[in-house]
Amino acid sequence: MPSAKPANGRGHGGRIALVTGAAKGIGAATARAFAEAGATVILCDIDEEGLAATVAELQGEGHRTFRLDVTVEEDWLSALAEVEKVFGRLDVLVNNAGWGTLRTIFDTSFEQWRKLIAINLDSVFLGTRHAMPLLEKSGSAAIVNVSSIRGLVVGVGAGPYSAAKAGVHIFSKATAIECAATGRAVRVNSVHPGFVDTPLSRATSDEARAARRQSVPQGRYATPEEIADAILFLASDAASYVNGTELVVDGGFTAT
Ligand SMILES: NC(=O)c1ccc[n+]([C@@H]2O[C@H](COP(=O)([O-])OP(=O)(O)OC[C@H]3O[C@@H](n4cnc5c(N)ncnc54)[C@H](O)[C@@H]3O)[C@@H](O)[C@H]2O)c1
């Protein structure tokens, strides 16, 4: 069971943290934040150029990058085998990589549906399933899954993405209680960002972005760093009794 005594306080000094989708956006901000907090970061993505640029600017030494497609089981197995060889354990897994596009259910082909489910949900299953043996070796590990406000509330055109992100939400809770029930010292929580200023959200039109800003009580997009802060908190021993829950970081959007 998770230790009642925080091992690391609020920092991440000496910890090994794996972040998917770390080449840009929220994942890159999360990698930077973990490095600043003293962790050794394993940055994974399909964008190798982006990975190289992100890792080059990280504080501290010993960080690693892997070309890992989160939908491909073999990629997980080979990256984690290397992590085991080099570090022998994993303290934090952030399942962040994801993708979405505005499309109604009726405009979505089965192929597009399967792509959304694979990148957003299969990815979380594969990471959780295969990283678990290394997380168990930590003694005080945490998984943070990046869902979305769209996993909690829907909007027209976000149906298939919402279904995938709702899956991430409930899968996180299920993993948390299964870990606890089986004596694994791994906490599992999900983060639900609202509108965040990243390459993904910049793909929408100026009009749509303005409408989104207006719909947020705080009147603006989040920065990727604001989401990274929430992820670091949930992964830290400051959250040692926070388990199987969700942290919404949306400027008040879902409160209205
Ligand atoms: N930006 C937002 O407004 C917002 C809101 C809520 C939730 N989210 C979620 O936050 C997470 C990060 O989003 P972001 O806005 O930083 O996106 P982004 O597109 O800016 O960055 C995502 C990263 O994931 C990588 N990626 C995509 N497919 C991959 C795959 N198959 N394997 C490995 N890496 C892959 C991309 O190369 C990219 O580097 C996603 O899960 C997204 O759904 C974003």
Side-chain angles (χ1 to χ4, degrees):
M1 291 301 294
S3 161
K5 204 165 102 197
N8 265 296
R10 282 167 202 280
H12 287 278
R15 284 186 162 176
I16 316 295
L18 188 154
V19 181
T20 67
K24 52 181 177 285
I26 294 168
T30 302
R32 284 193 297 273
F34 271 115
E36 275 164 26
T40 302
V41 189
I42 299 153
L43 301 91
C44 302
D45 206 293
I46 45 174
D47 172 2
E48 292 180 89
E49 255 178 55
L51 278 178
T54 304
V55 77
E57 64 180 25
L58 292 193
Q59 220 169 281
E61 291 184 352
H63 310 297
R64 300 266 171 147
T65 61
F66 286 100
R67 194 209 175 275
L68 186 160
D69 182 333
V70 289
T71 68
V72 177
E73 189 167 29
E74 296 72 38
D75 282 9
W76 277 106
L77 292 171
S78 60
L80 290 166
E82 188 64 19
V83 172
E84 177 160 35
K85 206 159 76 184
V86 177
F87 301 106
R89 70 172 205 284
L90 192 60
D91 302 304
V92 178
L93 169 65
V94 182
N95 284 311
N96 162 75
W99 172 77
T101 179
L102 277 183
R103 206 186 285 275
T104 67
I105 293 163
F106 315 109
D107 292 326
T108 301
S109 67
F110 187 41
E111 195 185 334
Q112 289 160 341
W113 166 266
R114 290 180 76 155
K115 182 178 172 188
L116 270 168
I117 298 295
I119 298 178
N120 292 292
L121 187 54
D122 289 359
S123 56
V124 178
F125 168 75
L126 288 173
T128 302
R129 182 73 185 78
H130 293 307
M132 191 54 71
L134 285 179
L135 290 163
E136 281 178 63
K137 290 186 183 167
S138 163
S140 176
I143 299 176
V144 182
N145 294 324
V146 180
S147 176
S148 168
I149 48 168
R150 291 301 175 212
L152 302 170
V153 294
V154 292
V156 173
Y161 178 73
S162 292
K165 290 301 193 184
V168 173
H169 182 210
I170 292 301
F171 182 80
S172 305
K173 290 180 186 292
T175 314
I177 63 158
E178 287 195 11
C179 281
T182 53
R184 294 176 162 91
V186 183
R187 292 180 301 101
V188 188
N189 295 287
S190 54
V191 167
H192 297 254
F195 305 119
V196 190
D197 187 22
T198 68
L200 179 66
S201 65
R202 276 178 225 136
T204 49
S205 67
D206 288 350
E207 294 76 31
R209 284 171 61 78
R212 284 177 175 182
R213 270 196 297 277
Q214 271 185 350
S215 69
V216 177
Q218 279 185 238
R220 64 173 176 85
Y221 274 52
T223 64
E225 287 73 23
E226 287 174 311
I227 310 304
D229 282 344
I231 293 170
L232 257 76
F233 164 68
L234 287 174
S236 77
D237 285 324
S240 55
Y241 202 56
V242 182
N243 202 7
T245 193
E246 55 283 314
L247 181 48
V248 180
V249 189
D250 70 349
F253 180 84
T254 52
T256 61

